Each structure stands twice: as structure tokens, then as C-alpha cells.
Amino acid sequence: MKKSVLTTDWLFLKETIGLMDRKGLGKIGENVKSSSFDLDASARTETGVIVMSMFFVGLLIVAFTTNPVPSGTQAGERAPIFSGEAYDGTSWNSFEFADLLDTSWTWNSTEDSPWIAVEFLDTDCGFCKSSAQEVGQWSEMYTSPQWPGPDVIFIAVAVEFVSESSRAEIVEFRSQYENNFRYVDDLDISIADDWDVAATPTYFLVQPDGIVAWNSGQGSDTLGWDAKEEQSISLNGFDDGRVQLNEAIEQLTRLHEGE
Amino acid sequence: MNEYAVLSIHGIVIVYGLLLMTPVAPQINILKSRYPSTLTKRGQLTAGLAFVCFGGFTVSAHTLWMHNKLSEGASVCSGNSLLNCDGLIGNIAYNTDPLLGQPWGLIGMAAFTALMWLTLTIGKEPLSPQTPLFIRMGLGATIAGLPVIALLVSYEIKEGLICPFCTTAHIANIIALVGFFLLLKLQESDEWAPDIKKTSSRR
């Protein structure tokens, strides 16, 4: 019974190959014949099984021993590291964003590592000017002893979007609005490119471990990142429904307080 | 375990594969009792290539692991200001390929898996009509890897850093290129399969 089935199959295949030849598809017919009866094909399949097993075992080992976090500037992603020259009120010094991070930080850490607020601004941008004083006040408020939450370090990244700017303008802007935090020179817009910043002012709140907790330039500025639950959450805009930097700080850094 | 101790394991596999492709192969061949075909020049070349591809695969898998670990915020290889993987594998401007957006480690794993398949298939069916094509495919794939290596080296130069794990994978690709070239030369000569009668290619 088995033999007759095989014979029928072979006759059917022969017919198919013959038909292909007659239709001018001789090459394809040959390949069908080759793959059915050429035992080299079994060596290839066997080798294929071996190497694919090797590939997937490799992938599985990597998958089971790591828990990757995507890089980017959306809430829940790992913020790009940057370095440059920063003005601290007296001189321009080298600045490393990575130095501010505490990579071992978790929500349950007993250590009170500071969060980081990053503002991208242009010294010629009207909105940046109108908010500069307020941002300066927040930078003092969120490091003061009266603030019950973790400290928030403010960093301004000065870009050149609107018109030509210079370090002298950055120094003048900082002093005019009495900001006491560091201003990083990004006049070549390299940091802004890495952070996908297309307009100013754009604000980010970054967790101590470098994960973006809030991005004002994201599709919805009400979207924050819950570090404890590791999921997105919706924030409230206290006045007009739009979430401001100070509102994001107050909600996210003290999210699970009292639980 | 120190990262360079782990790197040396990948390196030993690759170096052993390289040695199997050289005239010292008969002295160091540990496979000859199990695989008599490795007593031939063809067998030594394909076995050497298989070791090189496997070493390239494992070191690529290791860089993918580092890529993921760095995204978690860990530091995996940044002990030296020059030999530093973190600054390159952890740099989002460079750590994925510009076309597919996939980590370079994953690209390396896929590439060395494909090369491994070609190598093992050539070794198993040396007289198949497709063997010359497979050898040329291997040669072409490793040559195609050269511009990719050049791009990654340009990143290293730009950052003033050397990623030892990435460099090991690059070296494995270059050795594999030489191996496929030697296979091609051998396949075009009369020494390709003196141990196998033509008829035995069809079982």
C-alpha cells in the first residue's frame, strides 16, 4: 500500500516536471527534481537545522540574561548620554551628563539620588525668555530643604535654532534671568539632534538612572513614566490641562509617596 | 569574570580555526579521529573556517549581550580610556546599523550563522554542483563585510576608542574571507577532493 502511494507520487511529480519542461520552465522543473531526489539537499537541511539552532540558542541566552531598555527620549527610554562644555557662572568647563547618573538607582533605593531636569533653549527664542525666570525659581525650589521630594538638578542645553548665537549670548542670558544652573554649549545642535529636539523650549525630566520620565515634546505631554511599576502613566496639568515641568516633577518624583 | 578573560575564549576559538587553515594543521588537528575528512587540505580549511565562524558568532552574541546590558545602565567594558566597548556599543549614535536599526551584534550573529551554514554545507557535500557557488557566496559575503567593518572602524576613530570585542568579530570576518579565498583556489585545483570518488557525491 505504501509502495503504491510512493509510486503514484513519483508519477505525479514526473508528470509535473514534464509539463514544466513543455511549458518552457525546464530549469524550475530541474530544481524540483533536484530538491526531491538530490540527497545533497538533505545535507543542506541538516546543516541548516544545526546553524539555526545555534543562532536561536545564542539569542535565547542573550534574551534570558538581559532586560534591554530602548534608547531614546520618549518616556521610559534611556536618555542619550552627552558631553560638552558647560558654563557654571564663572567659567566654561567640560561637562559629562553620565556623571549625574546613578546607574544602580531603583525606585526602592534608600539613597536619595537626584533627578535631572534638562531644558533645551535658544537664547533668541521668545518662549524661552518668558519662562527662564520661572525655570530658575524651580531649580532653587526643588533643591531647597523645604522640598520634600528628591533633589532635581537643572541643566540647560543652549542651541542655535532661530538666529546666530554665541557663548557670550549664553552667558548673558543666564545672568539676565538669574539662573544658577549649568548651561551646556550646543550651538552645533549635536545634542539636540540626539535628543530629537526640534523646537525650544523643550523640557525633559530624567530619573537618576538615566531613564526619561517625562518629555514635554512627546506626542502627549501628559504622558509620564512610573519608575516603580515600569509603565506609562497619565499626568495632570494643574491649571490648563497642559503639564508643565514643575507639575511633572511634583507628580513623578513623589508618585508612590504614602503607599 | 573579567571581560578580557571571556574575550580570550572567543579569541582562542578563532585563532585555532586560523591555525587549522595553515600548514601546522596536521600537528594541532584534534578532530582527525572523529572526522577523517579533516586529514585532507579541504577538510582542514572547512574545519578551520567553521571554528572561525563559530568564534565570530559567539563574540557577536557577546556584543549583543553587552548592547542590552548597557541599555540597562550597566557598565560592561570601560576599564581603559582607549580599549572601551561601553563608549561605542553603548552609544546610540553608532550601536545600530543605519538601514535596519538593529544592533550590530545581531547583524554579526546572523552573518556568521550564514557563513557557518555555507562552510558546513561545503564540507558535507564537496562535489555538489552548488559547491563552487557556495564558496563564491561565502567569499562575496565576507567581502561585503569589509565596508561595514570600515564604517565601524570610522566610528572608533571618531570616538578615539577601540572596542576589543567588535575588533575580534572584524578579524574573524577577515580570516573567513581569506579562508573562502583559499577554498576557492583549492576547489579550482586538482587537490579539491582526491579522497572522494566523483560517484560518491550522489548517495
Side-chain angles (χ1 to χ4, degrees):
Chain A
M1 183 67 185
K2 199 172 185 183
K3 192 178 172 188
S4 71
V5 171
L6 282 174
T7 311
T8 315
D9 282 354
W10 166 231
L11 286 173
F12 173 72
L13 195 59
K14 260 174 81 175
E15 267 180 32
T16 309
I17 294 166
L19 188 67
M20 282 177 159
D21 281 341
R22 284 197 295 281
K23 294 279 183 191
L25 301 170
K27 190 75 184 167
I28 299 172
E30 277 303 308
N31 284 341
V32 170
K33 193 175 169 184
S34 164
S35 63
S36 304
F37 299 103
D38 183 351
L39 291 177
D40 284 343
S42 81
R44 285 169 220 168
T45 309
E46 192 182 304
T47 311
V49 170
I50 292 169
V51 297
M52 288 313 288
S53 305
M54 179 183 84
F55 182 76
F56 285 111
V57 166
L59 272 189
L60 285 175
I61 291 171
V62 173
F64 281 117
T65 54
T66 60
N67 183 20
V69 178
S71 297
T73 52
Q74 303 292 297
E77 295 182 335
R78 181 165 296 284
I81 300 296
F82 63 89
S83 56
E85 295 270 306
Y87 185 71
D88 60 5
T90 51
S91 59
W92 288 91
N93 297 304
S94 65
F95 172 83
E96 294 281 345
F97 182 70
D99 291 345
L100 303 177
L101 304 178
D102 173 5
T103 50
S104 62
W105 181 88
T106 63
W107 183 263
N108 297 317
S109 296
T110 47
E111 209 175 307
D112 219 4
S113 302
W115 290 53
I116 306 144
V118 182
E119 178 192 14
F120 282 81
L121 61 83
D122 188 324
T123 52
D124 295 313
C125 137
F127 290 114
C128 304
K129 289 175 185 171
S130 59
S131 60
Q133 206 147 24
E134 198 173 26
V135 174
Q137 289 164 1
W138 292 338
S139 75
E140 286 171 15
M141 189 168 106
Y142 295 121
T143 48
S144 71
Q146 286 75 39
W147 163 240
D151 283 359
V152 181
I153 297 174
F154 277 65
I155 300 293
V157 180
V159 301
E160 186 184 271
F161 281 162
V162 181
S163 60
E164 207 171 302
S165 186
S166 65
R167 282 194 174 185
E169 267 189 49
I170 296 171
V171 171
E172 194 188 323
F173 185 95
R174 184 183 180 279
S175 140
Q176 185 183 348
Y177 294 102
E178 296 172 343
N179 289 170
N180 60 3
F181 47 88
R182 278 174 285 191
Y183 271 56
V184 179
D185 174 355
D186 188 35
L187 297 176
D188 64 358
I189 332 179
S190 57
I191 303 169
D193 279 345
D194 287 348
W195 283 60
D196 288 330
V197 171
T200 54
T202 300
Y203 304 99
F204 296 88
L205 180 62
V206 180
Q207 289 173 191
D209 59 351
I211 303 293
V212 176
W214 178 73
N215 171 356
S216 72
Q218 199 163 324
S220 164
D221 61 11
T222 58
L223 200 66
W225 184 251
D226 183 338
K228 187 182 178 191
E229 303 296 337
E230 295 190 349
Q231 62 185 24
S232 298
I233 51 155
S234 194
L235 303 179
N236 301 314
F238 298 149
D239 301 327
D240 53 2
R242 290 209 61 198
V243 176
Q244 306 292 323
L245 176 62
N246 62 324
E247 295 164 343
I249 290 171
E250 291 185 17
Q251 291 177 70
L252 287 168
T253 60
R254 305 178 62 196
L255 195 60
H256 296 279
E257 212 164 78
E259 278 183 4
Chain B
M1 199 176 191
N2 182 291
E3 65 266 17
Y4 292 110
V6 181
L7 178 61
S8 66
I9 297 171
H10 302 301
I12 286 168
V13 175
I14 294 167
V15 169
Y16 182 69
L18 174 65
L19 290 176
L20 274 181
M21 291 192 244
T22 65
V24 301
Q27 282 85 55
I28 59 157
N29 189 349
I30 54 169
L31 305 168
K32 56 190 169 194
S33 56
R34 189 174 163 86
Y35 300 104
S37 67
T38 58
L39 290 167
T40 64
K41 203 173 173 188
R42 182 197 74 247
Q44 283 159 9
L45 269 180
T46 48
L49 256 177
F51 272 96
V52 170
C53 293
F54 184 68
F57 172 82
T58 56
V59 80
S60 300
H62 200 142
T63 60
L64 178 64
W65 181 86
M66 287 176 157
H67 177 106
N68 289 0
K69 275 286 167 194
L70 286 165
S71 80
E72 291 174 31
S75 173
V76 289
C77 160
S78 61
N80 190 299
S81 56
L82 180 65
L83 299 176
N84 184 322
C85 311
D86 291 9
L88 291 159
I89 300 175
N91 189 328
I92 62 161
Y94 307 128
N95 65 4
T96 53
D97 82 282
L99 294 177
L100 303 170
Q102 296 303 313
W104 287 112
L106 185 62
I107 305 282
M109 282 172 75
F112 282 109
T113 301
L115 292 176
M116 187 84 159
W117 181 79
L118 290 171
T119 305
L120 295 181
T121 304
I122 292 164
K124 279 185 176 237
E125 49 175 50
L127 295 181
S128 164
Q130 274 81 37
T131 297
L133 173 69
F134 288 165
I135 295 174
R136 283 177 172 80
M137 280 169 70
L139 189 61
T142 48
I143 289 172
L146 294 180
V148 178
I149 293 172
L151 175 71
L152 295 176
V153 170
S154 77
Y155 293 157
E156 292 185 324
I157 293 168
K158 214 166 164 183
E159 291 295 307
L161 300 170
I162 294 172
C163 165
F165 285 80
C166 318
T167 304
T168 306
H170 303 165
I171 291 169
N173 181 83
I174 292 166
I175 296 173
L177 190 159
V178 174
F180 277 109
F181 179 74
L182 293 175
L183 268 184
L184 183 67
K185 287 279 147 206
L186 187 68
Q187 200 271 331
E188 287 170 349
S189 73
D190 295 334
E191 294 176 75
W192 176 245
D195 55 325
I196 306 172
K197 288 180 183 167
K198 291 273 177 192
T199 51
S200 69
S201 67
R202 294 284 182 271
R203 279 159 281 171

